[in-house]
Amino acid sequence: MSQLLLVLAFFVVALPASAKLNAFACEPEWAELVREIGGDKYRVFSATNAFQNPHFIEARPSLIAKVRRADLLVCSGAELEIGWLPLLLRQSANPNIQTDKPGYFMAAMQVSRLEIPQHLDRSHGDIHADGNPHVHLDPLRLISIAKKLSQRMAAIDPDNSAYYSLRFKLFRRQLNKQLNQLAPLIAQLEGQKVVVYHKSWSYLLDWLDMTAVADLEPVPGVAPSSSYLVKLLKQIRQQKPAFIMVAAYQDQKAAKWLAKKSGLPLVVLPYTIGGNDSSNNLVELFADTLEQMVQQGLN
């Protein structure tokens, strides 16, 4: 057992037992990050699963009840949940997780963001004023978010601050170890061109130095029409991307049509925790994503 694990084991045994804190996560990736950092100090609930579009969730009474009991709220932010989270916050009347409280943690707002619009124009589709909120697929940003989350947990629960710090260091070590093992796959993907569906993949592609040469959406949030797909087919025949990538929760009908007509491989990726049987935690999520992109997209 490594020295870090031994120290963590000591804290687990030595710290006094106390009631678990409640965390409400808007998406599975943040629920899993809370588990990674919070360990046995937190009870975690995720408002969505890997097969739901997090943009469009109903603010159900059951969710309001969960938010009402939360000590910590962890969401993507940057307006991803703008259609339902504000209502949950108002209806819950929970003072611990309002916007100016330590219990309010928006992951995307902890790091620099891509695609911040210069001008807001709804004719350009479902754009976010604070930039692209899908930050979890960049491991470098994810590590930064994890560190800040551990610090926030320590602010909420100072008696266990050393525990959260150690949990963060262990998570960082595990993720970096996995990324080192994935280096051969990363090298194969660098510089590749792809077709995407929505701006879900911008941070992953930025990290891998890949380029999205086309998007199945004519503008963000708008489904492709038949005429748009015909134009897209002509475009990708000229630009010659390697494959088409979509998330498990997205409608694959248009992507399958385009793959059939173009001859490009269609790679369905988990996108978040639970998107397939091989993505049960954040380390596995990165491993499975890169393996599928190479094995199904490039081979």
Side-chain angles (χ1 to χ4, degrees):
M1 186 181 291
S2 70
Q3 182 178 2
L4 183 60
L5 286 172
L6 285 170
V7 174
L8 181 58
F10 168 79
F11 273 99
V12 171
V13 174
L15 290 174
S18 59
K20 288 188 177 182
L21 297 168
N22 291 311
F24 180 101
C26 288
E27 291 86 29
E29 58 267 25
W30 306 128
E32 182 60 23
L33 189 61
V34 171
R35 294 186 188 100
E36 291 282 0
I37 308 302
D40 62 4
K41 307 303 178 187
Y42 270 88
R43 182 183 298 108
V44 187
F45 172 81
S46 178
T48 60
N49 62 53
F51 300 99
Q52 293 178 294
N53 187 334
H55 293 85
F56 308 111
I57 300 298
E58 182 183 354
R60 305 184 305 274
S62 59
L63 292 183
I64 295 172
K66 292 288 187 181
V67 173
R68 186 172 291 130
R69 294 191 291 269
D71 301 287
L72 174 65
L73 173 82
V74 182
C75 300
S76 293
E79 297 185 343
L80 177 62
E81 305 93 355
I82 192 67
W84 52 282
L85 182 58
L87 179 59
L88 291 183
L89 291 172
R90 288 196 302 271
Q91 293 294 324
S92 73
N94 181 346
N96 298 319
I97 46 83
Q98 300 301 320
T99 56
D100 59 343
K101 300 297 182 181
Y104 180 89
F105 187 90
M106 298 292 109
M109 306 309 290
Q110 311 303 316
V111 292
S112 62
R113 295 170 303 286
L114 302 174
E115 300 165 1
I116 297 177
Q118 297 297 315
H119 304 284
L120 290 177
D121 186 342
R122 289 303 173 187
S123 67
H124 295 160
D126 184 18
I127 58 176
H128 302 280
D130 291 319
N132 189 318
H134 306 287
V135 294
H136 70 284
L137 289 177
D138 176 356
L140 305 180
R141 284 180 169 88
L142 184 62
I143 288 172
S144 180
I145 291 167
K147 182 177 182 179
K148 292 181 180 180
L149 181 60
S150 70
Q151 294 168 346
R152 188 67 61 88
M153 288 179 169
I156 294 170
D157 180 24
D159 289 344
N160 289 310
S161 59
Y163 176 83
Y164 301 129
S165 178
L166 284 168
R167 295 280 303 187
F168 160 69
K169 291 174 182 176
L170 180 60
F171 169 71
R172 181 178 61 187
R173 176 179 292 186
Q174 291 172 332
L175 183 54
N176 282 331
K177 180 180 178 180
Q178 180 67 280
L179 295 177
N180 287 334
Q181 294 173 348
L182 294 170
L185 301 183
I186 294 172
Q188 293 182 65
L189 290 165
E190 286 179 347
Q192 295 288 346
K193 300 176 182 178
V194 292
V195 179
V196 298
Y197 196 165
H198 194 60
K199 300 292 186 179
S200 308
W201 310 104
S202 296
Y203 293 92
L204 178 67
L205 300 184
D206 182 66
W207 169 58
L208 293 171
D209 195 25
M210 297 174 66
T211 303
V213 297
D215 192 326
L216 280 158
E217 291 182 322
V219 294
V222 176
S225 64
S226 298
S227 59
Y228 174 75
L229 287 174
V230 171
K231 293 179 181 178
L232 194 60
L233 180 60
K234 294 178 181 178
Q235 178 184 343
I236 65 175
R237 281 173 174 167
Q238 294 175 342
Q239 296 180 324
K240 295 181 173 56
F243 55 89
I244 302 166
M245 51 196 295
V246 301
Y249 74 84
Q250 292 169 328
D251 186 346
Q252 298 169 25
K253 183 178 179 181
K256 288 179 178 178
W257 181 91
L258 190 63
K260 181 178 180 180
K261 293 294 183 180
S262 66
L264 292 176
L266 173 60
V267 183
V268 181
L269 298 170
Y271 177 72
T272 190
I273 306 303
N276 62 23
D277 293 338
S278 300
S279 300
N280 298 306
N281 58 54
L282 290 161
V283 173
E284 288 182 0
L285 176 63
F286 282 102
D288 182 76
T289 296
L290 298 189
E291 287 167 2
Q292 289 202 62
M293 290 171 73
V294 169
Q295 293 170 7
Q296 298 184 34
L298 301 183
N299 296 329

